[in-house]
Amino acid sequence: MAKMTMVEALNMALRQEMKRDDSVILLGQDIGPDGGVFRVTDRLFAEFGENRVVDTPLAEASIVGMSVGMAVYGLKPVCEIQFSGFIYQAFHQIENHAARMRWRTRGRLHVPMVMRAPYGAGVRALEHHSESREAYWAHTPGLKVVIPSGPRNARALLVSAIRDPDPVIFYEAKALYRSLREDVPEEEETLPIGRANIARAGDAVTIIAYGAMVRPALEAADLLAEKEKMAAEVIDLLTLSPLDEELLVASVKKTGRAVVVHEAPQSFGPGAEIVARLMEGAFYYLEAPIERVTGFDTIVPYFSREKSYLPGAERIAAAARRTFIK
Amino acid sequence: MGRKRIEPSNCTIDYLSILDEYGNLDTGLEPEIPPEMHLKMLRAMLLGRRFDERLLDLQRQGRIGTYPPTKGQEAAHIGSAILLKDSDWFVPSFREMAAEIMRGRTMESALLYFNGYNEGTIVPEGSKDLPMAVPVASQILHAVGLAWAAKYRQTGEVVMAFFGDGATSEGDFHEGLNCAAVYQAPVVFVCQNNQWAISVPLARQTHSETLAQKAIAYGMPGIQVDGNDILAVYAAAKEAVDRARDGGGPTLIECVTYRIMMHTTSDDPKKYRSEEEVECWRQRDPLIRYRKYLLQKNLITEQQLIALEEEIKQDIQAAVERAEKRMQELGNPLDQFDHLFAEMPPRLRKHKEALAKELAEAGREAHHG
């Protein structure tokens, strides 16, 4: 197994799926000879040519709108929105069409497409390049929202997303692109969409996170283990929608305590929905109010201040401790 | 250094009119159309017109919901869509009813749609038609995607996309034309310029002299035609479809027509336009003009026209009856949960079960009450 960054693992997933199926078409801005601004499509243009790796005009609605047409035709477009902060120019194509073509036509037409976009803060980017607005998509009926947390699961989930018969929003944390390496097997590996993963087993408190927040959640679990001898369970959602509430509820029934972590703003964020599901499913098992550690309800600050905005291990560990204060 | 004039190669557009409102015919431009195709177009226009009138009546009787009438625009969408093969793609907005029916959408489907049933957006099995698109101009990009795919698969399929004058102000129109030209995609853009986007007239929609000239900026041919002259629409569309099929890329056709009726049945055009203007356009009715032409060419007789009207009346009546019967069988509210995904996610199943329970309880209460 080769040690890979998330960028390399995603690149491998794309290359293998393109080899396997000539209906898989990549399209986006600068994804051709340039290989994408983050190099996720590196060398694919040379390998597959301009009809498989399609550089588009600088127009997000075109990328998504054309993909809808291509998917209806029977192709499997995998489009790249260069930064999720610019996906709003395609919002209507996602909401009005990608998400509802199957429903509108009672299954006659459907839109098997993947919309990849880098999201999140922590890489000292320019403004509009650091947001986490996955809640928009999780709020939209008809979409699946997948957010991997590392190279290996990113590769396996991207393969599953490409093979999925429905539109998938695939958010890739920029902070994870090159910051860690993992063993990623060359042979095919998939992960089911809609299933979370227990990243670390424990029985004292459940910490729920996804994407770039899984790492600080695990670090918080380390802190709790060191300082309080407390075994926190860390759940990595992997898919935000549909949410694997079964796993979450089972964990919280066991621990009686929960901390929900995301870098998206707090109000009406994914954490609110997760808390509501836990209240439905595990209310009588709760020993303390559920804590949320999230981005603040402000714009992600320019990068000189972004560190203060992002949830970190200390903040998460502190929230976990609060669940023990009676 | 210095300032010099650049003269892009396609900086002019044509205006095409072959059969005018007074029945004058430019025989030099008259397209060769086989008699059976003429009859197909006439039937489609006439059926479209009568069905449109019936839908308006049904709306006024409260038997369907909000409806956007098509009256007066039949030549623009029939004269163009007739050029498509069954294997070509038809991408409508929501004012191409006559063409939709000609392409194979059933009248029942339209009746179901305008009565609020999803079954009205199911396109027939094997059909290459997209369902109506309500968000203005958004469908233009789907047409480009379809055309890109057809070119990739080298099938020779052509895509035709429809939209109105208002759509030319939307970003998706500009993006769509731009992309289609960049990829030389086999797509024909048909703008039904009916002069009004609800209450906003064309002059408030654009400062361009024509809509067709917008093609120039994207590096594709554009042509403006008398959209109430089916011969002109046909001639322009034939040229465009042939070009697309031969690998010559996209074309923009502006069909100058007029929205004789209201935007939708919820709209009152008296608030924003004069009766004189509407009357003036009634005189340019595409159906009257075409009928006269066919009679003069001895392609149809008065008797045949009467018989055709009767046949269409019966077809419409039968469709209305079938649709109203079908609606009694439909209406299971639990259908709203189906077909959102290939596989129903657990939470959605819960919602379905909750509504099923609520309905069952309501049913029991009604039964015992």
Side-chain angles (χ1 to χ4, degrees):
Chain A
M1 274 198 278
K3 288 259 185 212
M4 287 188 187
T5 63
M6 195 157 111
V7 165
E8 290 161 350
L10 290 166
N11 182 272
M12 181 168 82
L14 292 172
R15 186 177 350 98
Q16 289 181 341
E17 287 305 290
M18 289 179 79
K19 264 191 183 158
R20 182 178 169 267
D21 182 356
D22 75 350
S23 65
V24 176
I25 307 288
L26 312 187
L27 60 165
Q29 295 156 17
D30 307 300
I31 66 165
D34 191 38
V37 294
F38 288 101
R39 305 288 177 262
V40 173
T41 57
D42 194 30
R43 300 185 310 278
L44 298 180
F45 182 86
E47 189 173 343
F48 295 97
E50 62 175 6
N51 282 331
R52 300 290 304 283
V53 185
V54 184
D55 263 334
T56 64
L58 209 168
E60 287 76 13
S62 296
I63 295 170
V64 177
M66 277 184 64
S67 294
V68 170
M70 291 160 72
V72 165
Y73 187 95
L75 301 181
K76 292 207 139 212
V78 181
C79 56
E80 176 177 298
I81 300 296
Q82 199 160 75
F83 289 90
S84 65
F86 307 123
I87 205 168
Y88 315 118
Q89 305 212 44
F91 206 115
H92 63 297
Q93 286 293 344
I94 302 173
E95 159 69 38
N96 295 138
H97 293 293
R100 56 174 86 192
M101 191 64 88
R102 179 190 288 281
W103 184 87
R104 294 182 71 216
T105 61
R106 306 279 83 191
R108 248 286 288 140
L109 304 176
H110 65 124
V111 180
M113 63 186 278
V114 182
M115 287 159 275
R116 296 182 36 247
Y119 86 99
V123 296
R124 299 173 64 79
L126 279 175
E127 57 177 328
H128 303 291
H129 290 69
S130 300
E131 284 66 27
S132 300
R133 298 286 187 267
E134 56 277 12
Y136 292 149
W137 314 121
H139 188 66
T140 303
L143 298 176
K144 294 178 181 178
V145 184
V146 173
I147 307 183
S149 64
R152 187 164 180 171
N153 61 41
R155 183 279 190 110
L157 284 165
L158 183 55
V159 171
S160 298
I162 292 170
R163 297 181 190 176
D164 197 276
D166 288 306
V168 179
I169 299 275
F170 196 90
Y171 266 18
E172 300 161 4
K174 289 187 288 293
L176 298 176
Y177 266 154
R178 294 179 187 280
S179 59
L180 72 153
R181 285 180 180 271
E182 276 177 1
D183 286 325
V184 182
E186 178 74 21
E187 55 274 18
E188 180 176 309
E189 194 170 67
T190 60
L191 274 174
I193 291 174
R195 286 272 170 251
N197 177 45
I198 297 175
R200 175 180 173 138
D203 55 13
V205 54
T206 303
I207 303 175
I208 300 161
Y210 57 90
M213 289 295 104
V214 173
R215 199 159 41 162
L218 287 168
E219 286 163 11
D222 286 340
L223 290 175
L224 294 167
E226 281 164 28
K227 293 187 180 160
E228 277 90 4
K229 307 287 172 221
M230 187 193 290
E233 179 147 293
V234 177
I235 295 182
D236 177 1
L237 288 179
L238 298 174
T239 299
L240 197 56
S241 181
L243 191 65
D244 186 359
E245 63 182 88
E246 208 181 322
L247 188 76
L248 301 180
V249 166
S251 174
V252 174
K253 278 183 176 175
K254 179 175 68 182
T255 62
R257 293 174 168 85
V259 179
V260 186
V261 186
H262 56 67
E263 57 179 291
Q266 183 168 82
S267 295
F268 303 93
E273 179 63 29
I274 292 165
V275 171
R277 304 266 181 122
L278 293 175
M279 295 300 277
E280 275 177 38
F283 178 75
Y284 295 107
Y285 297 81
L286 285 173
E287 301 287 346
I290 302 170
E291 287 283 334
R292 281 186 287 172
V293 182
T294 66
F296 302 118
D297 284 0
T298 180
I299 310 297
V300 182
Y302 294 175
F303 65 77
S304 73
R305 297 187 177 89
E306 71 179 339
K307 213 163 169 237
S308 65
Y309 174 92
L310 280 173
E314 288 291 353
R315 214 179 272 166
I316 298 165
R321 288 183 198 109
R322 282 200 296 277
T323 66
F324 284 88
I325 299 167
K326 295 268 178 177
Chain B
M1 295 276 283
R3 176 172 174 154
K4 63 176 181 179
R5 174 153 299 173
I6 298 171
E7 289 180 2
S9 56
N10 69 336
C11 260
T12 57
I13 53 155
D14 290 346
Y15 173 79
L16 184 63
S17 157
I18 299 174
L19 176 70
D20 75 10
E21 61 200 275
Y22 310 106
N24 301 313
L25 178 69
D26 186 328
T27 48
L29 290 170
E30 187 184 6
E32 274 182 41
I33 301 176
E36 64 276 11
M37 193 177 263
H38 269 304
L39 295 180
K40 188 178 175 189
M41 291 200 290
L42 175 71
R43 191 180 199 285
M45 277 178 80
L46 205 53
L47 176 70
R49 176 66 61 89
R50 299 296 170 247
F51 185 47
D52 183 72
E53 290 165 350
R54 186 67 192 273
L55 284 165
L56 193 57
D57 282 347
L58 290 170
Q59 197 282 334
R60 294 312 190 213
Q61 294 163 23
R63 287 161 73 189
I64 65 166
T66 305
Y67 172 67
T70 338
K71 189 176 198 158
Q73 299 184 208
E74 297 89 347
H77 50 275
I78 292 296
S80 46
I82 190 81
L83 270 312
L84 296 177
K85 300 178 185 172
D86 289 345
S87 53
D88 290 330
W89 294 82
F90 171 81
V91 181
S93 66
F94 53 83
R95 221 182 288 280
E96 296 85 15
M97 182 62 82
E100 284 196 82
I101 305 286
M102 180 177 73
R103 287 278 299 172
R105 184 183 188 187
T106 62
M107 287 185 272
E108 295 94 288
S109 157
L111 286 155
L112 292 175
Y113 180 76
F114 289 111
N115 250 308
Y117 291 95
N118 267 74
E119 285 74 5
T121 29
I122 303 175
V123 288
E125 194 64 43
S127 153
K128 299 289 194 67
D129 298 4
L130 259 49
M132 290 165 57
V134 172
V136 170
S138 60
Q139 74 281 6
I140 293 172
L141 287 165
H142 310 159
V144 181
L146 288 166
W148 189 97
K151 191 176 175 185
Y152 172 66
R153 290 296 191 201
Q154 300 179 327
T155 58
E157 295 155 283
V158 167
V159 185
M160 191 178 277
F162 289 84
F163 48 91
D165 42 308
T168 67
S169 301
E170 289 276 10
D172 282 5
F173 165 80
H174 298 276
E175 289 196 19
L177 264 67
N178 183 51
C179 282
V182 166
Y183 298 121
Q184 287 295 288
V187 53
V188 178
F189 300 107
V190 181
C191 176
Q192 298 198 82
N193 171 8
N194 71 11
Q195 324 269 348
W196 290 92
I198 305 190
S199 67
V200 177
L202 189 66
R204 286 274 171 269
Q205 208 65 248
T206 182
H207 194 59
S208 297
E209 219 169 303
T210 67
L211 294 173
Q213 75 197 60
K214 292 177 193 280
I216 294 170
Y218 299 108
M220 74 172 77
I223 183 168
Q224 189 187 56
V225 303
D226 177 348
N228 286 4
D229 169 4
I230 195 161
L231 302 183
V233 175
Y234 179 94
K238 178 152 191 356
E239 208 174 281
V241 167
D242 287 349
R243 178 165 40 236
R245 216 182 293 286
D246 293 346
T251 304
L252 172 63
I253 302 174
E254 175 192 359
C255 299
V256 180
T257 179
Y258 192 79
R259 198 192 77 214
I260 296 288
M261 307 303 286
M262 58 294 279
H263 161 67
T264 70
T265 46
S266 310
D267 169 42
D268 175 14
K270 287 194 188 72
K271 287 183 71 177
Y272 52 79
R273 67 182 190 186
S274 72
E275 187 47 40
E276 292 73 44
E277 181 186 304
V278 181
E279 190 45 43
C280 174
W281 278 94
R282 279 202 191 97
Q283 301 305 317
R284 301 176 194 167
D285 188 306
L287 188 54
I288 295 171
R289 200 186 300 186
Y290 189 39
R291 234 172 1 202
K292 225 181 264 174
Y293 169 82
L294 294 176
L295 284 166
Q296 272 165 7
K297 300 268 290 186
N298 291 320
L299 286 164
I300 196 157
T301 63
E302 290 282 5
Q303 288 73 20
Q304 282 171 316
L305 265 173
I306 293 166
L308 184 58
E309 285 274 11
E310 185 54 34
E311 182 195 314
I312 281 170
K313 197 174 153 188
Q314 283 174 16
D315 282 358
I316 293 171
Q317 183 54 30
V320 171
E321 283 166 19
R322 273 198 303 275
E324 292 192 333
K325 186 162 172 285
R326 177 96 198 280
M327 280 183 260
Q328 290 169 359
E329 297 158 10
L330 297 172
N332 179 356
L334 296 177
D335 287 353
Q336 69 188 285
F337 302 101
D338 301 337
H339 301 296
L340 192 60
F341 297 98
E343 208 179 313
M344 192 177 287
R347 173 70 31 167
L348 192 59
R349 183 166 297 116
K350 270 191 184 176
H351 287 185
K352 186 174 182 175
E353 285 161 6
L355 181 60
K357 191 163 167 250
E358 189 186 302
L359 292 169
E361 279 165 9
R364 266 197 299 278
E365 269 172 38
H367 189 69
H368 294 298

